Amino acid sequence: MFRSYALAPLRCVALALLAVFGFAASLPLMTAIGAVVTYPHVLQVVRRLAGLSRWLARAWSGIVIDPPYREGPVPLPPRRPDGWYEHDGQLFKTRHYPAFFLRMQWLSDDPATARDWMWLVLLAPIGGLVALLAPALIVAGVLLAASVTGPGRRALADTGLTGLVTWPDLTVPGWAVLAAGVAAIVTGVLAGPALLRAHGRWARTWLGHPGLTWWQSSGIGDWLRRGGHDTWKAALLLGLSLTGFAVFLLTVLLTLVSGGFGIAWVAYAIRPMLNHYRRLCVQWGGGDPLPDPYRQREAVPEPGPDGRYRVGRTLYATRDGARRAGFFPWILGDPATWRDLAWMATAPLVALLAVVPGVLIGAGYFGLFWQALFWPLWAVPFGLVTGVWISPWYIWQLFTLGLPAADLVPGWVSIPIGLAMGLLGVLLAGPVLRLITGWARLLLAPSRAARLTQRVEHLAQTRAEAVDAQSAELRRIERDLHDGAQARLVAVGLSLGTVEQLMDRDPAAARVLLAQARETSAAALAELRDLVRGIHPPVLAERGLADAVRALALDAALPVDVRAELAGQPPAPVATAAYFAVAEALTNAARHAQASRVGVDIRHTGGLLRVTVTDDGRGGAVPSDGGGLHGLRRRLATFDGTLALHSPQGGPTVLTLEIPCALSSPRTSTS
């Protein structure tokens, strides 16, 4: 026990040094976030500091803090059968680029990440002060005791600390000063273990598994969290904007050296980053999606009678030569290329506004905690070493670019000023983020001509796919009729002919053949019903989409929970596509997912019919060309619908389809 009391002040000093280090490292770490490429490494440093604090809390105060981080491996980009890697609708030859952004998203979505940052920000003003309380009492007691003796008083006078331990207007007996010093030393030693435990409990509040606190239940925590998230999102967009500006300067340099060739190569190489920037703007700024605005590259024409390939006015002997020659007209003739260059040249001017909320929040932090931070963490060591004692109010003045009449304003005024500046930064974070994303939407969105071109190409593609699908469906119906019902009906006709011949000379055999003909006709009728049900289920026409899916769930091999919120009925073709999509998803869950339950949610919001199918299976589903999901995606594309699959390893698998449509009047159920 004596050892724990003796070591407690030293351990408190070590925790205070950790607080000073975290305070000094927090600003560079937050600044490094804007560099984007360093983002995962910065979070790794913060997690290592948090892990050190958990270990110290367990070793020195006996408080166990379990890491609250998300378990499981970091998701990896799926590899397609053709060898390419897919991420957010983009294809990459290697997995490095999509794996980086998947890791960054995985780390950012972990709630423990925000809690680690909040712990790092509050480590110095709260954790550091709690840890320094015991050493401060011991140091104060030593100074008081030393002020009683002559040598000690002379030493204090040499260091400039006499004013801290003497009272010029009062006469205090020496024994009282000595008693006060001894009491402070004893109090500091006895309070050491308790302060270590208090520091450990405070660390567990932020670094352990989350619990609902008053500031979270009141909504203040969510508001502050959104403001903080908007601030670092704006910082990330600023980092990408500065990267784009650097690429723009490189483009200008290459243009001076090589002419338009430099523009073409750099503009093509930067397109994946710009597409990622578009997705971030939609995800963080809201609004309609920003599709890929670039023109599709035209195919190399067929060779002429002389075997050569024509591109413009030039003939090429090989296909590769013609393809390389068409690269530069394709890039330089695309208006989206020049819009990209305009954004790269101007984006930093707008994105620099991200500094405003960051500086305001940082200044507010200093204003709130400067009085508490300065004296124990900076002024006391500085004064002990140099003998010069500086008021924290002057440091605050320097940080806020100075205020008049500083000697007439008390230092505590920095607290309300800091609070106001911090709240103003939180308020401005959202508008600044929307302004940055709005400027990107203005320049990086497809032009009207590009949207019309893409629309025409999409309609032509979906029309061709619809025609192909219809032809394949007709061939399937013809094959099913020929091999099934038609063959049975032919057999019925032959049996009836034989019965006609046996009616007079062998009635018993005729009756047997009639019974067989009746069974064959019943089987043919059942096959016809199944065929009609495969074309358009009767229950879908009679009861509507929701009841048809419920009937489908009753026949499924797994327990299926169906929730439907439809104020009316979608058009028949849309309902049919959604019905068969659900049927395909239930079949996949039963055959491949090893699931125990499936949930189906059907609703209509924002002009979209949204159907979500979720199973608790093993996950890892990947849509492949020629598979059932690929066919469903082609079917939905006819209606401008989308099909999204989220199936991480270990599950769950979530299949979401959205089809734009309007609902008709509600159907009255007969049940």
Side-chain angles (χ1 to χ4, degrees):
M1 180 178 293
F2 176 77
R3 181 174 179 271
S4 63
Y5 280 99
L7 292 178
L10 298 178
R11 291 171 175 174
C12 287
V13 172
L15 292 177
L17 293 177
L18 176 63
V20 173
F21 176 77
F23 175 76
S26 59
L27 186 60
L29 290 176
M30 292 180 181
T31 305
I33 289 179
V36 182
V37 295
T38 62
Y39 180 79
H41 306 289
V42 169
L43 293 185
Q44 193 65 29
V45 172
V46 175
R47 289 193 173 187
R48 288 185 181 277
L49 289 175
L52 176 61
S53 182
R54 293 187 188 93
W55 181 81
L56 293 177
R58 181 172 186 172
W60 290 352
S61 60
I63 296 178
V64 179
I65 306 176
D66 295 326
Y69 303 118
R70 177 182 296 172
E71 297 180 356
V74 180
L76 295 176
R79 187 174 185 179
R80 293 160 48 92
D82 56 5
W84 290 74
Y85 294 91
E86 181 179 358
H87 175 64
D88 281 348
Q90 296 291 316
L91 297 179
F92 303 91
K93 192 64 177 177
T94 64
R95 70 168 56 187
H96 302 295
Y97 186 86
F100 169 78
F101 283 102
L102 282 175
R103 176 176 175 79
M104 187 172 69
Q105 182 178 358
W106 185 77
L107 291 172
S108 301
D109 292 343
D110 191 348
T113 299
R115 294 166 58 82
D116 285 352
W117 278 110
M118 186 61 69
W119 165 81
L120 185 63
V121 169
L122 299 177
L123 178 60
I126 297 180
L129 291 182
V130 172
L132 271 181
L133 187 56
L137 287 173
I138 295 175
V139 172
V142 171
L143 293 176
L144 287 173
S147 66
V148 177
T149 64
R153 187 181 298 275
R154 286 192 298 271
L156 292 176
D158 293 338
T159 58
L161 297 177
T162 306
L164 291 178
V165 295
T166 59
W167 297 268
D169 298 333
L170 298 175
T171 301
V172 181
W175 63 267
V177 176
L178 181 61
V182 173
I185 294 173
V186 173
T187 303
V189 172
L190 295 178
L195 291 174
L196 285 177
R197 288 191 294 271
H199 189 280
R201 294 190 186 97
W202 174 81
R204 184 173 58 186
T205 302
W206 292 104
L207 301 181
H209 289 280
L212 189 64
T213 59
W214 68 268
W215 61 275
Q216 290 173 323
S217 59
S218 63
I220 299 176
D222 291 338
W223 181 72
L224 294 175
R225 179 177 55 81
R226 286 195 300 271
H229 283 185
D230 289 345
T231 302
W232 74 257
K233 289 174 182 176
L236 280 175
L237 295 182
L238 172 61
L240 288 173
S241 301
L242 294 176
T243 303
F245 185 72
V247 173
F248 174 76
L249 295 180
L250 178 62
T251 304
V252 173
L253 178 62
L254 291 178
T255 302
L256 295 177
V257 175
S258 61
F261 298 101
I263 296 179
W265 285 114
V266 175
Y268 179 75
I270 199 66
R271 284 183 175 184
M273 192 205 81
L274 294 178
N275 283 330
H276 181 70
Y277 193 92
R278 291 183 180 93
R279 291 189 292 272
L280 291 180
C281 289
V282 174
Q283 182 180 353
W284 293 344
D288 297 332
L290 288 174
D292 189 331
Y294 306 112
R295 288 179 179 176
Q296 294 292 330
R297 187 172 183 177
E298 296 182 359
V300 178
E302 294 298 324
D306 56 355
R308 292 182 293 179
Y309 301 86
R310 177 179 177 180
V311 177
R313 297 183 178 182
T314 307
L315 296 175
Y316 295 89
T318 63
R319 180 180 294 271
D320 291 339
R323 181 174 178 80
R324 286 193 297 269
F327 173 79
F328 298 101
W330 168 53
I331 295 294
L332 299 179
D334 191 348
T337 299
W338 305 102
R339 293 168 65 89
D340 289 349
L341 293 173
W343 174 84
M344 287 188 286
T346 59
L349 301 177
V350 180
L352 280 175
L353 292 175
V355 177
V356 175
V359 170
L360 287 175
I361 293 175
Y365 173 82
F366 275 91
L368 280 173
F369 299 114
W370 189 254
Q371 295 295 316
L373 279 172
F374 183 82
W375 285 106
L377 298 182
W378 304 103
V380 172
F382 184 77
L384 288 174
V385 174
T386 64
V388 180
W389 297 86
I390 304 175
S391 171
W393 176 247
Y394 293 99
I395 305 298
W396 169 254
Q397 269 197 300
L398 293 176
F399 188 77
T400 56
L401 302 181
L403 290 174
D407 53 344
L408 302 179
V409 181
W412 60 264
V413 176
S414 66
I415 296 177
I417 294 178
L419 179 62
M421 295 178 71
L423 294 178
L424 180 60
V426 174
L427 285 173
L428 291 179
V432 166
L433 179 62
R434 288 190 292 271
L435 182 62
I436 295 174
T437 57
W439 181 255
R441 184 177 294 275
L442 181 64
L443 289 180
L444 297 182
S447 63
R448 180 178 178 83
R451 287 196 298 268
L452 290 176
T453 302
Q454 291 176 350
R455 180 64 176 169
V456 170
E457 293 176 352
H458 176 72
L459 291 176
Q461 180 181 2
T462 55
R463 180 178 180 275
E465 291 179 351
V467 171
D468 293 341
Q470 184 180 15
S471 300
E473 187 71 10
L474 289 176
R475 289 192 297 270
R476 183 188 67 83
I477 294 173
E478 179 184 6
R479 184 175 59 254
D480 292 345
L481 287 174
H482 181 272
D483 298 340
Q486 180 179 344
R488 294 185 184 276
L489 291 176
V490 171
V492 170
L494 294 176
S495 298
L496 291 178
T498 306
V499 168
E500 206 172 23
Q501 298 175 4
L502 296 176
M503 282 293 293
D504 295 333
R505 54 188 177 86
D506 195 351
R511 283 194 296 270
V512 172
L513 290 176
L514 284 175
Q516 293 177 353
R518 184 174 65 251
E519 293 175 358
T520 304
S521 64
L525 181 60
E527 289 185 358
L528 287 174
R529 288 174 176 172
D530 292 339
L531 182 61
V532 172
R533 188 179 295 109
I535 300 173
H536 187 76
V539 66
L540 190 61
E542 297 171 0
R543 303 292 298 274
L545 177 61
D547 288 340
V549 172
R550 291 189 180 98
L552 190 65
L554 293 176
D555 296 333
L558 298 173
V560 180
D561 299 325
V562 180
R563 296 185 302 274
E565 296 181 6
L566 295 178
Q569 292 299 326
V574 173
T576 302
Y579 175 86
F580 283 111
V582 174
E584 179 70 21
L586 295 180
T587 301
N588 291 339
R591 290 182 179 177
H592 311 295
Q594 298 180 359
S596 59
R597 297 195 67 85
V598 181
V600 180
D601 183 82
I602 307 173
R603 61 185 67 244
H604 186 272
T605 56
L608 293 173
L609 176 66
R610 182 179 291 110
V611 180
T612 305
V613 182
T614 306
D615 68 64
D616 57 356
R618 61 182 180 180
V622 178
S624 58
D625 294 339
L629 295 179
H630 180 72
L632 290 178
R633 184 174 282 116
R634 293 177 56 187
R635 182 194 290 262
L636 296 178
T638 307
F639 308 99
D640 286 341
T642 59
L643 183 69
L645 176 66
H646 179 71
S647 181
Q649 292 292 339
T653 297
V654 181
L655 181 71
T656 304
L657 64 94
E658 293 181 346
I659 307 176
C661 67
L663 298 183
S664 61
S665 59
R667 182 183 298 275
T668 303
S669 178
T670 58
S671 60

